[in-house]
Amino acid sequence: MENILQAKFLKEMCQTTANMYRLGWDERNGGNISYLLDEKEVGKYLDLEKVIREIPIGFEAKELAGKIFIVTGTGKYFKNVESDPETNLGIVRIKADGKTAELLWGYKDGGRFTSEFPAHMMSHIARLKVDPDNRVVMHCHPTNLLAMNFVHELDDRSFTRSLWQMCTECIVVFPDGVGVLPWMLCGNNAIGEATANKMKEYRVVVWGLHGVYGAGKDMDETFGLIETVEKAAEIYMLTAHLPRVNTITDENLVTIAEAFKVNYRKDFID
Ligand code: 2HA
Ligand code: ZN
């Protein structure tokens, strides 16, 4: 067996959580990441027959039976993942019944996966139906995006338009737009179902007055997606209270979307 601390997926989890912490998106235990792994790849590092313990999931994730994820732990701080991955992360396999997860590695102090596991798993199910290459679901609390939630109406179309208008390349990075949920109680199946429902259409879902979910085919793409949304929100917050002299017009948006041949939400253009 090779040393799991050298595995690319483990290094990616460490680097990404450290980056997100550094950017101020994950204070205290804020945020969580789940990453769908390749069984053969995990098999290089772990005996897949050896289950440490079983953890109830709290809903039925039958569509994900047999799939293996590396997931941040509940109550754990992104700040600490890099220095102690085995306590702050876990590798779990969904059992055939869809109701239980088998712990293969990690959560060394007896911990378990993030309280947002239902939202993560339901989002994976929804995204895999749209894009079989989807691997990553990421949740965090980016500062400017959260600030924007307090001064902008929480509506998919108008929120997306405001973000697209803030940076020329936004419509290229998230042509599918941004879904927005109202404030909801977090950590339960209801917010998971609402998130997954938006994930049928969007790779970015704003949790009103809370944070954001992003999904993508790899860590860089998913991180870059949230980073771009947060950059746009930062420009919005830097300019919202000032007189607007110049603007990226709808005609500009269409011009760039067509030049880059992205399938943008035509119904979000005036
Ligand atoms: O796990 O961010 O939404 C901490 C959170 C919950
Ligand atoms: Zn959160």
Side-chain angles (χ1 to χ4, degrees):
M1 289 282 152
E2 293 176 43
N3 178 3
I4 193 161
L5 298 177
Q6 299 303 321
K8 181 170 177 267
F9 59 78
L10 198 108
K11 287 185 178 171
E12 285 179 309
M13 287 295 280
C14 290
Q15 285 162 0
T16 306
T17 48
N19 248 334
M20 293 168 81
Y21 174 70
R22 180 180 56 78
L23 290 164
W25 302 352
D26 297 275
E27 73 291 344
R28 200 174 182 274
N29 65 321
N32 23 77
I33 303 178
S34 58
Y35 184 2
L36 174 57
L37 303 178
D38 177 57
E39 187 180 313
K40 264 208 213 105
E41 178 69 12
V42 182
K44 288 192 213 161
Y45 306 96
L46 298 175
D47 176 357
L48 299 176
E49 302 292 313
K50 214 176 123 199
V51 174
I52 300 169
R53 57 191 155 94
E54 294 194 346
I55 309 175
I57 295 179
F59 75 102
E60 255 191 55
K62 272 224 173 85
E63 288 103 320
L64 299 174
K67 297 214 184 308
I68 300 175
F69 294 88
I70 186 164
V71 190
T72 51
T74 184
K76 299 295 190 268
Y77 294 21
F78 272 27
K79 173 174 81 70
N80 298 335
V81 172
E82 201 164 32
S83 61
D84 187 2
E86 200 173 351
T87 302
N88 294 291
L89 302 173
I91 296 179
V92 293
R93 178 174 55 209
I94 311 298
K95 270 182 86 165
D97 66 2
K99 293 179 188 162
T100 320
E102 298 171 314
L103 181 64
L104 301 174
W105 177 87
Y107 306 144
K108 201 174 68 176
D109 61 353
R112 50 179 283 142
F113 34 70
T114 168
S115 58
E116 305 297 358
F117 200 64
H120 278 258
M121 293 302 110
M122 291 179 195
S123 293
H124 278 285
I125 294 169
R127 286 312 305 170
L128 284 167
K129 281 184 189 154
V130 187
D131 174 13
D133 291 331
N134 194 85
R135 292 290 174 272
V136 178
V137 172
M138 193 179 276
H139 166 63
C140 57
H141 308 155
T143 311
N144 292 287
L145 183 60
L146 196 43
M148 185 174 162
N149 274 227
F150 290 86
V151 297
H152 195 286
E153 59 181 315
L154 299 176
D155 162 81
D156 298 1
R157 188 179 189 276
S158 69
F159 206 90
T160 298
R161 287 178 54 76
S162 292
L163 292 173
W164 280 354
Q165 286 164 0
M166 291 302 115
C167 309
T168 290
E169 289 177 317
C170 273
I171 195 169
V172 179
V173 178
F174 49 100
D176 41 350
V178 170
V180 185
L181 291 177
W183 184 93
M184 291 177 76
L185 179 62
C186 53
N188 58 30
N189 290 350
I191 198 166
E193 283 155 15
T195 308
N197 196 39
K198 290 282 187 197
M199 285 273 180
K200 291 178 192 164
E201 274 178 86
Y202 304 105
R203 288 171 302 141
V204 181
V205 179
V206 170
W207 275 13
L209 313 170
H210 178 145
V212 68
Y213 266 74
K217 65 175 164 44
D218 59 36
M219 205 62 88
D220 264 355
E221 185 191 89
T222 315
F223 180 88
L225 187 58
I226 293 181
E227 189 181 29
T228 306
V229 168
E230 169 62 359
K231 177 64 174 271
E234 184 175 6
I235 309 294
Y236 184 89
M237 293 309 296
L238 285 169
T239 55
H241 56 297
L242 300 172
R244 181 84 70 91
V245 178
N246 300 304
T247 199
I248 296 175
T249 64
D250 284 72
E251 204 187 336
N252 297 152
L253 290 173
V254 171
T255 301
I256 186 161
E258 287 180 353
F260 282 82
K261 298 185 173 49
V262 292
N263 187 18
Y264 64 102
R265 284 288 296 245
K266 313 261 181 326
D267 55 330
F268 284 6
I269 297 287
D270 272 347

